Amino acid sequence: MKHYFIYLFLLLMITSGCSSSAQDANEKTTEEGSYEALLNIEGEIYYSYGYDEKEKYTVLEEVGEVKKTLVGEEIMPKEHLTSNYLEKGTQIFSTKEDPEIFLVEDQGKYDVLKKKP
């Protein structure tokens, strides 16, 4: 019976240690900032939602090119046509289907950018 309590105690210590480490990691991520792909277009922040694999959107016209890529500690793009992940010179396109969705061409596919709901 004594062994049962020892095993139970060890199990509780291990599980509580793992959960506190995961919580510490989550707190560090939010303290340091988000690593989401962001783009500022006319003061609005747009997020990458992945590639348009089903060809749901049609390119309407070029809106512009990324003017600056943020590096180092800068995470949130604050100026028009700045990004924390798109390289300088990357072309940005509006879509025929939705004026609030933008496309960025990447290796023959289009990355979909839209405001977070």
Side-chain angles (χ1 to χ4, degrees), residues 24-77:
D24 291 343
N26 287 339
E27 288 173 2
K28 287 179 185 176
T29 302
T30 49
E31 286 174 6
E32 293 174 2
S34 171
Y35 290 105
E36 292 181 289
L38 307 173
L39 173 68
N40 183 318
I41 301 175
E42 297 180 4
E44 297 289 335
I45 302 297
Y46 289 82
Y47 300 81
S48 173
Y49 278 80
Y51 292 101
D52 181 24
E53 295 179 13
K54 296 179 183 177
E55 299 176 356
K56 183 176 178 180
Y57 301 105
T58 309
V59 171
L60 184 62
E61 63 184 1
E62 183 179 347
V63 174
E65 294 181 354
V66 175
K67 294 180 181 176
K68 181 180 176 186
T69 303
L70 303 177
V71 292
E73 304 259 335
E74 294 181 286
I75 295 174
M76 185 62 70

Side-chain angles (χ1 to χ4, degrees), residues 2 4 21-22 28 33 35 45 70 85 87-88 95 111:
K2 289 181 185 180
Y4 176 74
S21 296
K28 287 179 185 176
Y35 290 105
I45 302 297
L70 303 177
Y85 82 109
E87 293 190 25
K88 183 178 178 179
T95 61
D111 192 2

